[in-house]
Each structure stands twice: as structure tokens, then as C-alpha cells.
Amino acid sequence: MTADQLERAIRETLSRQAAVPRPCTVDPAGLAIRRATRTRRRRLFTGTALAGMATVLVSVGMVQLSPQAGHPTPPTVVLGDPRDSSWPAPEPVPSPSGGTSRPSLGPAGAAVDLVVNGTLYTSGKTGIPLGVVVADRAQRVPDRGGWLVVGAPTVAGRALLSVHPDGSTRVLLAGAEAIAVAPDGGQVAWRDGDRLSIGGIVGDQLVAVAGTSAPGAAVPVGFAGNSVLVRRDPARPGYALWHPSVGGLPADGWRDVIAVHGALPDGRLVGMVPTGTPRRPCLALLDPNRALATIRTACGPNLSPDGPGGVSTDGRWLLVNGRTGSSGPVGTLLIDLATLDGTPAARPAGPALAGAVSWTPAGTAWYVDARGGLVRVRPDRVVAGERAAASPVTGVEPTGRPVVVTDPAP
């Protein structure tokens, strides 16, 4: 039986098993066939591909690897879109009434990009369907270069999608267990199987740079410069930095860190560590140049032990979940990072965070709360005693939630 005959047989079998015809966002048979085909091709052309990757990386001045950095290994995920990668600009999504399905953002307006029901809506009211990718996180690419969208977990893994301003899309990475994108959109780290990998995003291509063994349940969660921020277990504290130019993850490099919420302009990280007796989460400044060593801790606010948070572009403010009293409801706290030398000044800012925080260059923060409402926080008004309220985003599917698109790092 030829490969084409096998593919047709698999597709026919799966189509007969479908009890009710419905649109499917994942093609399991096609994905399996394409992954097997690419595996054979990678084994044949690994040497040539790695040489080409090294040439591209040197020419664009990306991560420099020393001879001791370990053997670069081809990723086991699917790199690139299985359907020849590039898709033309899609048509607007029609609503049941025949018009264009666009969410209503209520009194908050549309000053931030949002992903709603599988469509990316820009602040200019343009809607770009994302096709097979259901968004979990999204961020802008600098210089109007479009967007990078990290897909939600599926049976086929996560995907990384590049979206262009003209509406065309390209799948850069598929089948990964976890994906973290650098704030400037220039690098991506992912876990697949028992491997951690890091790659550079050059134009519309994903170039694999280096890989190392992933201990236990460790996953990449962010970047500090060219180093990858790794969490030992998504359900437990413990962070480390992986420096691809040095080698693998150090066995004794884990720090007792609860969460990392962002970076200051000078590169120091803002996070939480457990301190005191009994142990409780306190704010901390972490030094990425000394394996996340704690520079300073500051206690006072009743912080939630884990969860989302975000540091403003200028490094002045932190939005994070916490309580205003010992037993009050969890909400968002606005913390003045200029007060970390003493007891941090924390003010109630709005309903609790349920996803990423997008800080605009003008100093306004946007996020989505647990009910799917869009919240806009202006620090000057919070300092004056005003709490932000959520504006409803109508038209959201019952099982869905809007995703706020974050701006690129300056």
C-alpha cells in the first residue's frame, strides 16, 4: 500500500466514525501522517538543516552558542504549518444574522487588541480569524509586525501562530506541551516530551537553536534576556534560569520562588517568595545574573500565593491578585514598586485577574476578570481611591473567555 493510499484509508475510517458532522479544528490523521513524514525528512536532512540554522543565527546576531553548549537537537514537534504554512487573508466571520460577528466592548471601548471566539480583533476594529488555533495568550510584534498567538492546550498539544497585519497566518510551532515567547517576540522556548528547546523567530521562520533535558514536569514560562525562565512544576514553587549558551539546566539551580510577574527596565525581575513564620508570600526583586538570587523582599500586602500579574512598562507599578484585608475577597491590587524599600503601598484596583495584563506605553493596564469582563486600570485614578470596574464583552461563547493582547517590550 502506498503512502497516498494509507492516508486516504485513515481519513475514510475517521470520517465514518464521526456520528454528527461538525467543523473540526484539528485533523488527527493528517497531523499524524505529516509528523511521520517530517520525522523521516529530519533524519535525512538534519546535518544540512543545522548548518543552515547556524548561518541564519550568526547573520542576524541572535543567541551565540559556545562549543560546550551541547549538541543542538532537532525538535520533535512539527515546525511550520502542515498545510504549506501560509494562508491568505481570511474573510470576516459572518454572524447568524448575516452581518459581521464582532464583540461589543461596552463603555471600556476598544483601545486594546482582543482575541474573542477564535478571532483577533484589533483596536482598529479589524477582525482576523485564527483558523485552527484557540488562543491562550497573544502579544504584538514590534514595529507593526503583527501578532504571535500561543494556542490553548489540546490533544495535539499547543501551537504558536504568527498573524500578519494583512490577515494571513502561519503556524510556526505545533504539538508542544508548553510554549513561552520572549517579550520582544524574538525568541520562543517550548517543552516537548522530555526536552526543552529554544528557538529564534526570524521573519516568519522558527529556527531551532538548542535543546536540553527537561527534569520532571519542568516547563518554560518566560525569558530574562536570552535566558529561559523555567518553572520546576506548574503546580509547585521553584524556578530556575536556563542559559542555552552554557548548557543544560543546573541540578542545583532551583530557587524557592512562588511566581515571577515581570521585569524592571534594568532587567531585575519582580516576583514572590515565601518568607516569615508561618510562611507567606512576599514581594521580591530577583537578580537574573545570579541565578535568581533574592535582592530584596518586601512584605505587607496580603498577596495570593500564585497566579497572574504584570509590571508596567516603566517599572513603577505591579498589578497582582490579593486581598485588602485578612479575610476579604480576592481582587486586584495596584502596588507601587517605588515603595519596596519599606512596606509596599498596595491599593485595591478592581476585580481579580484571570489572565495576562497588558500595560500600554501610556501607563494604562488592561486585563480580563474571572467572568470574562474587560477591565481598564488607570493608576492615577486608583491612587485617588477609584476602583476599576469590568465592562462586559458581549458575544463571547459560553465556554470561551476574551484574551487580552499584550504589547511588546520596549
Side-chain angles (χ1 to χ4, degrees), residues 269-313:
L269 302 179
V270 179
M272 285 190 289
V273 297
T275 61
T277 304
R279 309 285 274 178
R280 64 175 182 138
C282 291
L283 293 173
L285 290 182
L286 309 173
D287 188 354
N289 297 319
R290 295 190 293 130
L292 301 181
T294 300
I295 302 171
R296 181 185 308 149
T297 59
C299 299
N302 189 356
L303 304 174
S304 294
D306 203 352
V311 177
S312 62
T313 305

Coordinates of all heavy atoms in Angstrom, one line a residue, residues 269-313:
L269 N 14.0 41.1 38.1 CA 12.7 40.5 38.0 C 11.9 40.8 39.2 O 12.4 40.8 40.3 CB 12.8 39.0 37.7 CG 13.6 38.5 36.5 CD1 13.6 37.0 36.4 CD2 13.0 39.1 35.2
V270 N 10.6 40.9 39.1 CA 9.7 41.2 40.2 C 8.8 39.9 40.4 O 8.2 39.4 39.4 CB 8.7 42.3 39.9 CG1 7.7 42.5 41.1 CG2 9.5 43.6 39.7
G271 N 8.9 39.3 41.6 CA 8.2 38.1 41.8 C 7.8 38.0 43.3 O 7.7 39.0 44.0
M272 N 7.5 36.7 43.7 CA 7.1 36.5 45.1 C 7.9 35.3 45.6 O 8.2 34.3 44.9 CB 5.6 36.2 45.2 CG 4.7 37.4 45.0 SD 3.0 37.0 45.4 CE 2.5 36.0 44.1
V273 N 8.3 35.4 46.9 CA 9.0 34.3 47.6 C 8.3 34.1 48.9 O 7.7 35.0 49.5 CB 10.5 34.7 47.8 CG1 11.2 34.8 46.4 CG2 10.7 35.9 48.6
P274 N 8.4 32.9 49.5 CA 7.8 32.7 50.8 C 8.8 33.1 51.9 O 10.0 32.8 51.9 CB 7.7 31.1 50.8 CG 8.7 30.6 49.9 CD 8.9 31.7 48.8
T275 N 8.3 33.9 52.8 CA 9.1 34.3 54.0 C 8.4 34.3 55.3 O 7.1 34.2 55.3 CB 9.6 35.8 53.7 OG1 8.5 36.7 53.6 CG2 10.4 35.9 52.4
G276 N 9.1 34.4 56.4 CA 8.5 34.5 57.7 C 8.0 33.2 58.3 O 8.2 32.2 57.7
T277 N 7.4 33.3 59.5 CA 6.9 32.1 60.2 C 5.5 32.5 60.8 O 5.5 33.4 61.6 CB 7.8 31.7 61.3 OG1 9.1 31.5 60.8 CG2 7.3 30.5 62.0
P278 N 4.4 31.9 60.3 CA 4.4 30.9 59.2 C 4.7 31.6 57.8 O 4.7 32.8 57.7 CB 3.0 30.4 59.2 CG 2.2 31.6 59.8 CD 3.1 32.3 60.8
R279 N 5.1 30.7 56.9 CA 5.5 31.2 55.6 C 4.3 31.9 54.9 O 3.2 31.4 54.9 CB 6.0 30.0 54.7 CG 7.0 29.2 55.4 CD 8.4 29.9 55.5 NE 9.2 29.7 54.3 CZ 10.4 30.2 54.1 NH1 10.9 31.0 55.0 NH2 11.0 30.0 53.0
R280 N 4.6 33.0 54.2 CA 3.6 33.7 53.4 C 4.3 34.3 52.3 O 5.5 34.7 52.3 CB 2.8 34.7 54.3 CG 3.7 35.8 54.8 CD 2.9 36.9 55.5 NE 3.6 38.0 55.9 CZ 3.2 39.3 55.8 NH1 2.1 39.5 55.2 NH2 4.0 40.3 56.3
P281 N 3.5 34.6 51.2 CA 4.2 35.2 50.0 C 4.5 36.7 50.2 O 3.6 37.4 50.7 CB 3.1 35.0 48.9 CG 1.8 34.8 49.6 CD 2.1 34.2 50.9
C282 N 5.7 37.1 49.9 CA 6.1 38.5 49.9 C 6.7 38.8 48.6 O 7.2 38.0 47.8 CB 7.1 38.7 51.0 SG 6.4 38.6 52.7
L283 N 6.6 40.1 48.3 CA 7.2 40.6 47.0 C 8.8 40.5 47.1 O 9.3 40.6 48.2 CB 6.9 42.1 46.8 CG 5.4 42.3 46.5 CD1 5.1 43.8 46.4 CD2 5.0 41.7 45.2
A284 N 9.4 40.3 46.0 CA 10.8 40.1 45.9 C 11.4 40.7 44.6 O 10.7 40.6 43.6 CB 11.2 38.7 46.1
L285 N 12.6 41.2 44.7 CA 13.3 41.6 43.5 C 14.4 40.4 43.3 O 15.1 40.1 44.2 CB 14.0 42.9 43.6 CG 13.1 44.1 43.6 CD1 14.0 45.4 43.7 CD2 12.3 44.2 42.3
L286 N 14.4 39.9 42.1 CA 15.3 38.8 41.8 C 16.4 39.2 40.8 O 16.1 39.9 39.8 CB 14.5 37.6 41.3 CG 13.3 37.2 42.1 CD1 12.5 36.1 41.4 CD2 13.7 36.7 43.5
D287 N 17.6 38.7 41.0 CA 18.7 39.0 40.1 C 18.9 37.9 39.1 O 19.4 36.8 39.4 CB 20.0 39.2 40.9 CG 21.1 39.7 40.1 OD1 21.0 39.9 38.9 OD2 22.2 40.1 40.7
P288 N 18.6 38.1 37.8 CA 18.8 37.1 36.8 C 20.3 36.8 36.5 O 20.6 35.7 36.0 CB 18.1 37.6 35.6 CG 18.1 39.1 35.7 CD 18.0 39.3 37.2
N289 N 21.2 37.7 36.9 CA 22.6 37.5 36.7 C 23.2 36.6 37.8 O 24.4 36.2 37.7 CB 23.3 38.8 36.7 CG 22.9 39.7 35.5 OD1 22.7 39.2 34.4 ND2 22.7 41.0 35.7
R290 N 22.5 36.3 38.9 CA 22.9 35.5 39.9 C 21.9 34.4 40.2 O 21.6 34.1 41.4 CB 23.2 36.3 41.2 CG 24.3 37.3 41.1 CD 24.7 37.9 42.4 NE 23.7 38.8 43.0 CZ 23.2 38.7 44.2 NH1 23.7 37.7 45.0 NH2 22.3 39.5 44.6
A291 N 21.5 33.7 39.1 CA 20.6 32.6 39.2 C 19.4 32.8 40.1 O 18.9 32.0 40.9 CB 21.4 31.4 39.8
L292 N 18.7 34.0 39.9 CA 17.5 34.4 40.5 C 17.7 34.6 42.0 O 16.7 34.4 42.8 CB 16.4 33.4 40.3 CG 16.0 33.1 38.8 CD1 14.9 32.1 38.7 CD2 15.6 34.4 38.2
A293 N 18.9 35.0 42.5 CA 19.1 35.3 43.9 C 18.2 36.5 44.3 O 18.0 37.4 43.5 CB 20.5 35.6 44.1
T294 N 17.7 36.4 45.5 CA 16.8 37.5 46.0 C 17.6 38.7 46.4 O 18.5 38.6 47.3 CB 16.0 37.0 47.2 OG1 15.2 35.8 46.8 CG2 15.1 38.0 47.8
I295 N 17.3 39.8 45.8 CA 18.0 41.1 46.2 C 17.3 41.7 47.3 O 18.0 42.3 48.2 CB 18.0 42.0 44.9 CG1 18.6 41.4 43.7 CG2 18.6 43.3 45.3 CD1 18.5 42.2 42.5
R296 N 16.0 41.7 47.3 CA 15.2 42.4 48.4 C 13.9 41.8 48.5 O 13.3 41.3 47.5 CB 15.1 43.9 48.0 CG 14.3 44.8 49.0 CD 14.2 46.2 48.4 NE 15.4 46.7 48.0 CZ 15.6 47.6 47.0 NH1 14.5 48.0 46.3 NH2 16.7 48.0 46.7
T297 N 13.3 41.7 49.7 CA 12.0 41.3 49.9 C 11.2 42.4 50.6 O 11.7 43.2 51.3 CB 11.9 40.0 50.8 OG1 12.5 40.3 52.1 CG2 12.6 38.8 50.1
A298 N 9.9 42.4 50.4 CA 9.0 43.4 51.0 C 7.7 42.8 51.3 O 7.0 42.3 50.4 CB 8.9 44.6 50.0
C299 N 7.3 42.8 52.6 CA 6.0 42.1 53.0 C 5.1 43.2 53.4 O 5.4 44.4 53.6 CB 6.3 41.2 54.1 SG 7.4 39.8 53.7
G300 N 3.8 42.9 53.5 CA 2.8 43.8 53.9 C 1.5 43.5 53.2 O 0.5 43.1 53.9
P301 N 1.4 43.6 51.9 CA 0.1 43.2 51.2 C -0.2 41.8 51.4 O 0.7 40.9 51.4 CB 0.3 43.6 49.8 CG 1.5 44.6 49.8 CD 2.3 44.2 50.9
N302 N -1.5 41.4 51.5 CA -2.0 40.0 51.6 C -2.1 39.5 50.1 O -3.2 39.6 49.5 CB -3.3 40.0 52.3 CG -3.7 38.6 52.6 OD1 -3.1 37.6 52.2 ND2 -4.8 38.4 53.3
L303 N -1.0 38.9 49.6 CA -0.9 38.5 48.2 C -1.5 37.1 48.0 O -1.3 36.2 48.9 CB 0.5 38.6 47.7 CG 1.2 39.9 47.9 CD1 2.7 39.8 47.5 CD2 0.5 41.0 47.0
S304 N -2.1 36.8 46.9 CA -2.4 35.5 46.5 C -1.1 34.7 46.2 O -0.2 35.3 45.6 CB -3.4 35.5 45.3 OG -4.6 36.1 45.6
P305 N -1.0 33.5 46.6 CA 0.2 32.8 46.5 C 0.7 32.4 45.1 O 1.8 32.1 44.9 CB 0.0 31.5 47.3 CG -1.5 31.3 47.3 CD -2.1 32.7 47.3
D306 N -0.2 32.6 44.1 CA 0.2 32.3 42.8 C -0.8 32.9 41.8 O -1.8 33.5 42.3 CB 0.2 30.7 42.5 CG 1.0 30.3 41.4 OD1 1.5 31.2 40.7 OD2 1.2 29.1 41.2
G307 N -0.6 32.9 40.6 CA -1.5 33.4 39.6 C -0.9 34.5 38.8 O 0.3 34.8 38.9
P308 N -1.7 35.2 37.9 CA -1.1 36.1 37.0 C -0.8 37.5 37.7 O -1.1 37.7 38.8 CB -2.3 36.3 36.0 CG -3.5 36.0 36.8 CD -3.1 35.0 37.8
G309 N -0.1 38.3 36.9 CA 0.3 39.6 37.4 C 1.1 40.3 36.3 O 1.5 39.6 35.3
G310 N 1.3 41.6 36.4 CA 2.1 42.3 35.4 C 2.7 43.5 35.9 O 2.1 44.3 36.6
V311 N 3.9 43.8 35.4 CA 4.7 45.0 35.7 C 4.5 46.0 34.6 O 4.6 45.7 33.4 CB 6.2 44.7 35.9 CG1 7.0 45.9 36.2 CG2 6.3 43.7 37.1
S312 N 4.3 47.3 35.0 CA 4.1 48.3 34.0 C 5.4 48.5 33.2 O 6.5 48.2 33.6 CB 3.7 49.7 34.6 OG 4.7 50.1 35.5
T313 N 5.2 49.1 32.0 CA 6.4 49.3 31.1 C 7.5 50.1 31.7 O 8.7 49.9 31.5 CB 5.9 50.1 29.8 OG1 4.8 49.3 29.2 CG2 7.0 50.2 28.8

